[in-house]
């Protein structure tokens, strides 16, 4: 992974854990890179990331495919939908500020909500696309 990707993930983590409506929906600042073993539902985890070269002839850039996971066990799938919506709202309203990078573009790509095999857990997968360039 690139330095740009790591900076973007750190910025994403910090932004989501500070976004009031999302924190309220989660019952606390519960966005994790790796969740604690005893974490209470609902929570969000940073998922897979793919970075590709987006450079031009005279400038450097990266395209990032970001995946966020929403985990819920309350109220059927409605809680997972509410949390996923707050994740999307946070990224639409608050700019990401990765260290040493400028976010040129950030766009929502897809969201899916499904029941896990245990029959109790709802899993939301929210994907975004970002383009960054060094400052």
């Amino acid at each position: 992974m690139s330095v740009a990707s790591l900076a973007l993930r750190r910025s994403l983590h910090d932004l989501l854990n500070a976004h009031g409506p999302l924190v309220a929906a989660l019952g606390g600042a519960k966005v994790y890179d790796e969740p604690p073993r005893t974490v209470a539902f609902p929570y969000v985890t940073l998922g897979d990331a793919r970075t590709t070269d987006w450079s031009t002839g005279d400038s450097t850039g990266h395209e990032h495919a970001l995946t966020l996971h929403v985990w819920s066990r309350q109220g059927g799938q409605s809680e997972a939908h509410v949390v996923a919506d707050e994740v999307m709202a946070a990224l639409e309203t608050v700019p990401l500020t990765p260290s040493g990078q400028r976010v040129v573009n950030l766009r929502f790509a897809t969201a899916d909500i499904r029941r896990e095999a245990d029959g109790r857990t709802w899993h939301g997968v929210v994907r975004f696309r970002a383009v960054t360039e060094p400052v």
Side-chain angles (χ1 to χ4, degrees), residues 13-21 23 29:
H13 175 268
D14 294 346
L15 176 145
L16 293 175
N17 270 325
H19 189 69
V23 171

Side-chain angles (χ1 to χ4, degrees), residues 32-52:
Y32 304 103
D33 192 23
E34 180 70 28
R37 290 184 187 261
T38 59
V39 66
F41 288 86
Y43 62 94
V44 173
T45 56
L46 302 179
D48 296 340
R50 184 181 72 229
T51 304
T52 56

Side-chain angles (χ1 to χ4, degrees), residues 101-115:
Q101 301 292 313
R102 181 175 81 84
V103 176
V104 176
N105 187 301
L106 176 67
R107 294 285 182 252
F108 166 74
T110 64
D112 300 298
I113 307 284
R114 64 178 177 262
R115 187 189 306 259

